[in-house]
Amino acid sequence: MLAIAASSDEDGEREQDLVRVFCERRVDGLLIVPAGDDHGYMLPELRSGTRVVFIDRPPGKIDADLVLLDNVGGARMAVEHLLAHGHRRIGFVGDASGIFTTVERLRGYRETLARAGLTADPSLIRLGAHDAAAAEGAVYELLSLPEPPTALFAGNNRITVGVLRVLGRNGIRLALVGFDDLELGEMLAVPVTVVAYDAAELGRRAAELLAQRLAGDDSPPQRVVLPTTLIVRGSGEVKP
């Protein structure tokens, strides 16, 4: 078996181009982390027998096999943890607003605040932080507010890195929970509390599902949701 990999760089048009190239090479199956929101272009290939499993984000406008994380549940654990430690002004820094994982994690953040009787303050939400540098800018904006947040929920590990840079550079003690673990996160001066998941299991379940389809399984499309867990290390336990 030969595996071929390529990156869409979060570009929906590039994703389409790559899928077409792979299909022209008559691959038997595809594992796709989607960048676009309309996958109707794949219908001819699906009808011709190409097997597809989507990972991490659902496809748009087609039904297909899908393996996801419990993004809402993970965000709920993060915010509940910060609330339990006395925080009421909790900032959220997320990736681009059109990305499924950002939308779901923001939904979990808002719903958890609402269940605690709190209204999500729009001034405490920053989206569009696609890398650590952009996250740094978002954190500086939040810290410059007349009433800055006492805690932050970082939407992914790149954002967590940006948050840590700002806090470390300025000697600020602020509660922090990040979504996604990060390398050496437990080795920092204040180890980072994170919402974690088994990334290998995400890929393994998708590959197993694709193998089932290639072996002739024609059952309806499956939606597999993998759990997340909160790893408590210290940063999320900083008091207001």
Side-chain angles (χ1 to χ4, degrees), residues 38-56:
D38 184 350
H39 294 85
Y41 70 91
M42 296 188 66
L43 285 172
E45 297 298 335
L46 295 176
R47 294 187 185 113
S48 70
T50 302
R51 301 297 192 171
V52 181
V53 177
F54 288 86
I55 305 174
D56 198 41

Side-chain angles (χ1 to χ4, degrees), residues 16-201:
Q16 290 191 36
D17 291 340
L18 289 170
V19 168
R20 289 193 177 103
V21 167
F22 287 150
C23 289
E24 286 170 1
R25 296 187 179 188
R26 308 316 307 163
V27 296
D28 295 311
L30 293 165
L31 296 172
I32 300 176
V33 179
D37 57 7
D38 184 350
H39 294 85
Y41 70 91
M42 296 188 66
L43 285 172
E45 297 298 335
L46 295 176
R47 294 187 185 113
S48 70
T50 302
R51 301 297 192 171
V52 181
V53 177
F54 288 86
I55 305 174
D56 198 41
R57 309 166 189 171
K61 301 184 180 180
I62 64 170
D63 290 323
D65 291 315
L66 173 63
V67 181
L68 293 172
L69 297 176
D70 182 7
N71 292 288
V72 173
R76 182 182 306 120
M77 285 190 291
V79 177
E80 285 178 345
H81 188 70
L82 294 169
L83 289 168
H85 284 82
H87 297 279
R88 294 299 178 266
R89 290 187 62 75
I90 301 170
F92 175 79
V93 183
D95 206 329
S97 60
I99 296 176
F100 173 78
T101 50
T102 302
V103 172
E104 291 292 278
R105 293 168 193 179
L106 179 57
R107 179 161 73 89
Y109 162 87
R110 284 177 166 150
E111 289 179 354
T112 307
L113 290 176
R115 275 196 296 272
L118 302 171
T119 301
D121 184 345
S123 73
L124 296 180
I125 298 171
R126 293 291 185 279
L127 301 179
H130 192 54
D131 54 29
E136 289 181 52
V139 174
Y140 278 121
E141 288 180 9
L142 289 170
L143 294 177
S144 68
L145 292 172
E147 291 185 70
T150 62
L152 291 176
F153 173 36
N156 61 42
N157 52 11
R158 296 187 307 276
I159 294 170
T160 301
V161 169
V163 174
L164 290 170
R165 286 176 181 170
V166 174
L167 300 185
R169 190 180 298 140
N170 295 277
I172 298 171
R173 289 273 290 174
L174 194 73
L176 168 65
V177 178
F179 204 113
D180 301 332
D181 206 351
L182 65 162
E183 190 173 358
L184 302 180
E186 76 281 8
M187 303 294 291
L188 298 171
V190 179
V192 182
T193 295
V194 296
V195 175
Y197 55 90
D198 188 341
E201 181 66 8

